[in-house]
Amino acid sequence: MELIVIAKPTLFKEECHLVNQLFEAGLQVFHLRKENAGEADYRKIVEGILPEYHPRIALHHFHTLATDYNITRIHHTESFRKRITPNTLTQKHIWSTSIHQLSDIDRITPYHYSFYGPVFNSLSKPGYMGIIPPGFHLNKHNSKTKLIALGGIGLNQIDQVKEMNFDGIALLGTIWNDPTQALSNFKKAKRHCLAHHQTL
């Protein structure tokens, strides 16, 4: 099972140092998403991450930065995806997106993987409630787009998400709600995921 970390929504001082530590500990994909950050902020974060890890960064905004920093992963929000045509997705990038309804899975076939959720009540966004019913088991039919569970996934929920048949999980609050425990919690999460590892 794949393990992805999404950036803390707000800027904070030790972020680049911690992200480098996560990569060193085995993080394969880091989604750089900042709700109110500008291009200069994005550029500063990328430059604070060691160059050998740049191909593991997925950009949510300011996609033109990819050509400056050897970044091959591009994320399209759900609203952005609905405004473009699929043939604009070139093969030189790894594309990701988000869906909130399983009925949309047939509309995202050009994408390599997609976030789906919130699976449980969000740990980082109070009031953002989970949409997965009890006993849920994912039936992906023949979709080639991998689905990554997102939302409210703590260390104690990872095994439960495995049973739901997702291809991976994305963590935000579990990693960043207490940055002093970010590396420790990542290592614990990684151990839970290793038995079902798949590469995106």
Side-chain angles (χ1 to χ4, degrees):
M1 175 176 270
E2 184 70 25
L3 173 58
I4 293 172
V5 170
I6 300 175
K8 185 179 176 70
T10 55
L11 300 166
F12 68 102
K13 186 176 180 180
E14 297 295 321
E15 181 167 23
C16 295
H17 173 67
L18 287 172
V19 171
N20 281 324
Q21 287 188 321
L22 295 180
F23 279 130
E24 185 179 356
L27 177 63
Q28 293 302 306
V29 183
F30 173 67
H31 274 249
L32 180 51
R33 182 185 70 186
K34 297 288 183 182
E35 294 175 351
N36 297 304
E39 182 174 346
D41 297 315
Y42 266 62
R43 190 178 292 275
K44 185 176 181 179
I45 293 170
V46 173
E47 290 180 351
I49 296 172
L50 294 173
E52 56 262 39
Y53 300 136
H54 288 179
R56 302 189 202 175
I57 298 172
L59 290 173
H60 279 238
H61 307 96
F62 310 111
H63 297 155
T64 55
L65 294 178
T67 56
D68 295 338
Y69 296 104
N70 191 31
I71 293 174
T72 58
R73 295 176 176 268
I74 302 293
H75 183 87
H76 287 164
T77 63
E78 190 169 34
S79 59
F80 184 89
R81 185 189 74 243
K82 291 177 179 179
R83 298 197 304 267
I84 66 170
T85 55
N87 60 11
T88 62
L89 307 186
T90 62
Q91 293 185 353
K92 68 178 183 178
H93 290 106
I94 297 173
W95 303 95
S96 59
T97 189
S98 301
I99 60 173
H100 297 88
Q101 297 179 3
L102 286 178
S103 57
D104 287 339
I105 194 168
D106 292 332
R107 302 175 184 176
I108 59 171
T109 51
Y111 290 86
H112 294 85
Y113 62 97
S114 175
F115 295 134
Y116 174 68
V119 176
F120 306 114
N121 296 345
S122 175
L123 300 175
S124 60
K125 296 180 179 180
Y128 199 49
M129 307 302 289
I131 59 175
I132 300 296
F136 176 82
H137 185 80
L138 180 63
N139 184 353
K140 294 177 295 181
H141 304 289
N142 295 317
S143 174
K144 295 181 179 179
T145 304
K146 296 180 180 181
L147 286 185
I148 307 300
L150 170 68
I153 303 171
L155 296 175
N156 294 329
Q157 283 76 44
I158 294 176
D159 290 340
Q160 185 178 348
V161 175
K162 284 182 184 178
E163 297 299 320
M164 294 179 184
N165 198 36
F166 283 96
D167 296 297
I169 62 170
L171 300 181
L172 196 164
T174 295
I175 302 299
W176 302 119
N177 281 357
D178 183 358
T180 65
Q181 297 299 311
L183 183 60
S184 174
N185 284 342
F186 170 77
K187 290 179 177 179
K188 292 174 183 176
K190 182 184 173 186
R191 285 196 291 270
H192 278 283
C193 292
L194 277 176
H196 291 266
H197 178 73
Q198 293 175 314
T199 302
L200 291 178

